[in-house]
Each structure stands twice: as structure tokens, then as C-alpha cells.
Amino acid sequence: MRRGPVKRALSTAGHRAIILGFTAFAVFPFYWMVITAFKRNSDLYVGATNTAHNPFIFNTLWVGTAVVLITLLLAVPAAYSLARLTGRWGERLSIGIFLTYLVPSTLLFIPFSRLVALLGLQNRLAALILIYPTFTVPFCTWLLMGFFKALPKEVEESAMVDGCSRLNAIRRVVLPLAMPGLLTIVIFALTLTIQEFVYSLTFISSVERMTVSVGVPVALVRGDVYYWGSLMAACLITSIPLAIMYNFFLDRFIAGFTVGAIK
């Protein structure tokens, strides 16, 4: 008679222990970054270095904001048009758009470098703003297509019957309903921009113009000397905002990412 409650207690304790273990595993890198970032230089290595954290962060935010805006301006109308385009051509175009995202950057950085040189954008952040949408727009367009397909056409048709034009129906009805999907592509575009390495390393040569993904390993690793305090501070500064954004908008993010897939 007593085995039932004992088994339930042991099962609950086991589940909580597993959850606690995964939580500790996920939180430990942040804990290590915090304690390392606030240690003195003498505790980590001999000597000191001047870091360019502020320029790295400013450049990353500037490029990320510009790329997100460009991605929204291009991906939203493209995804809506393809979602409402019926027939085989719509499916083929959607597959073709997604396949362009799968082309690795190691194959594209050479022709892109010729384009950047032709436009005179070497060692300028404008080169990154020009190149990054080539992989954020296809992916975000494909992601939004599934979400727009999940929205019934009757919603915008009812708005048009009430006197709205198609553009007004999209602005007043479709876009508010698509807010989880829009938030999803904003997070994805910003994340892809922050973590991109190959293009930033290829097109930017000055340390003061580098983004975090390149500036940290280039400026804070000198041969076999690792400036661990500065490295951990840079990782902490860039990871915490993304972690907060993912957790704060978790419900909307999951809705935007899965609603098109289950349609």
C-alpha cells in the first residue's frame, strides 16, 4: 500500500534532479563568464590589454538593426505574395528561395568580395549591410510563408469587403495577426547577423570597425595569449540580451516558428 506514494516521490525526485542537472549545465557557462569577466588582469595573465568592446557592440547593433529592417521590408511582401500564390510555381519559388539560404558562405565570399570591391565598400560596415540580407531574407521569407499560409484568406477578404484595399487589409488585419511570425524573423535575423563570421572577417580589416563575432577572436587572442577577462566580458555582453529576448518572447517565438509547420 505504501509503495505507490514512495514510487511517486522517487519519480518526482528523479525528474527534479534531471531538470536541475540540465539547468546547471545551461547556466554554468554564464556563471563562468561572470566570474571571469570581473577578475583582475593579474589573476588571469601577466600584462594587460586595451579592448574595443564599445566599438564592437556599436558596430554589431548598427549592422544588426539595418539588416533586420531590410529583411522585414523584403521578406514580408515576398512571403505574403508566395503564400497567396497558388499552384506549382508558388511551391517551386518557395523551394528555390530556401535553397539559396543553404548555399554555404565559403562558396560565396569570393564573388561577394569582387562585388564589394567594385562598389568601393572595402572595410566599411555598408558591405556587411549589403551582404547579410542575402542569407537572412531567403530564410525569413521561407519561415514567414508557412505562417501566412496558416492565416485564412477569409480574414483579409472580409476586410476588403468592408472597404479596405488589399494594402490596408494587410496592414490592419494580416500584419497584427502575423506578429508572432514577424517577431520570430526579427530574432532570427538578428541572431544570424551577430554570429556571422566569414563575411565580417573577409570584408572588414580595421579592428575599430569589426563586429563582435570577429573583433573578439581577432583582437583578444594574441598568438598563444588569451585575454580571458575581456573574452568572457564580450561573450557575456552579447549573449545575455539574446537570452533575455528569447525567454521574454518565448511563447510568441514558438508560435511563430511552429504555426506554419502544423498547417
Side-chain angles (χ1 to χ4, degrees):
M1 296 298 292
R2 295 183 178 179
R3 291 183 179 179
V6 172
K7 287 184 178 180
R8 286 196 296 269
L10 291 176
S11 177
T12 301
H15 291 164
R16 292 180 178 178
I18 294 174
I19 294 174
L20 182 61
F22 277 108
T23 302
F25 178 79
V27 172
F28 180 77
F30 294 95
Y31 164 75
W32 190 257
M33 285 188 290
V34 170
I35 63 173
T36 305
F38 287 99
K39 283 185 177 181
R40 295 177 298 178
N41 293 334
S42 59
D43 297 331
L44 299 170
Y45 46 76
V46 178
T49 181
N50 293 324
T51 61
H53 283 158
N54 292 338
F56 294 162
I57 295 173
F58 175 79
N59 295 337
T60 303
L61 291 178
W62 168 244
V63 173
T65 302
V67 171
V68 167
L69 291 177
I70 294 173
T71 302
L72 285 173
L73 290 175
L74 296 179
V76 171
Y80 178 83
S81 301
L82 290 174
R84 292 296 185 252
L85 181 61
T86 58
R88 294 183 178 180
W89 282 108
E91 296 294 332
R92 291 174 181 175
L93 286 175
S94 63
I95 295 174
I97 288 175
F98 182 69
L99 289 178
T100 59
Y101 169 75
L102 299 179
V103 179
S105 57
T106 52
L107 297 179
L108 296 177
F109 78 93
I110 294 179
F112 279 155
S113 63
R114 297 293 300 272
L115 176 63
V116 169
L118 181 64
L119 298 176
L121 299 178
Q122 302 96 324
N123 197 28
R124 297 178 60 181
L125 294 177
L128 303 182
I129 297 175
L130 175 66
I131 299 301
Y132 282 174
T134 60
F135 59 83
T136 60
V137 171
F139 179 78
C140 293
T141 300
W142 175 81
L143 190 63
L144 271 179
M145 281 179 56
F147 192 88
F148 282 134
K149 287 181 179 179
L151 297 178
K153 295 181 180 180
E154 290 77 9
V155 174
E156 55 203 84
E157 292 175 354
S158 299
M160 295 174 65
V161 169
D162 292 337
C164 291
S165 62
R166 180 170 292 275
L167 289 178
N168 285 332
I170 294 174
R171 180 173 60 87
R172 296 182 178 182
V173 179
V174 177
L175 291 183
L177 293 176
M179 191 56 62
L182 298 178
L183 181 60
T184 301
I185 68 169
V186 168
I187 295 176
F188 262 100
L190 186 60
T191 304
L192 292 173
T193 301
I194 292 176
Q195 69 182 13
E196 200 285 321
F197 181 81
V198 175
Y199 294 144
S200 183
L201 180 64
T202 303
F203 303 138
I204 304 297
S205 57
S206 300
V207 174
E208 64 275 5
R209 295 183 180 178
M210 291 180 176
T211 56
V212 172
S213 62
V214 172
V216 170
V218 169
L220 302 181
V221 178
R222 310 276 179 87
D224 59 348
V225 178
Y226 293 81
Y227 299 99
W228 289 113
S230 302
L231 284 170
M232 294 298 102
C235 295
L236 189 66
I237 292 172
T238 55
S239 60
I240 285 182
L242 287 178
I244 293 175
M245 185 180 299
Y246 272 101
N247 285 277
F248 188 74
F249 298 105
L250 182 62
D251 294 339
R252 290 180 176 269
F253 176 75
I254 294 176
F257 190 69
T258 59
V259 67
I262 62 176
K263 178 63 177 176

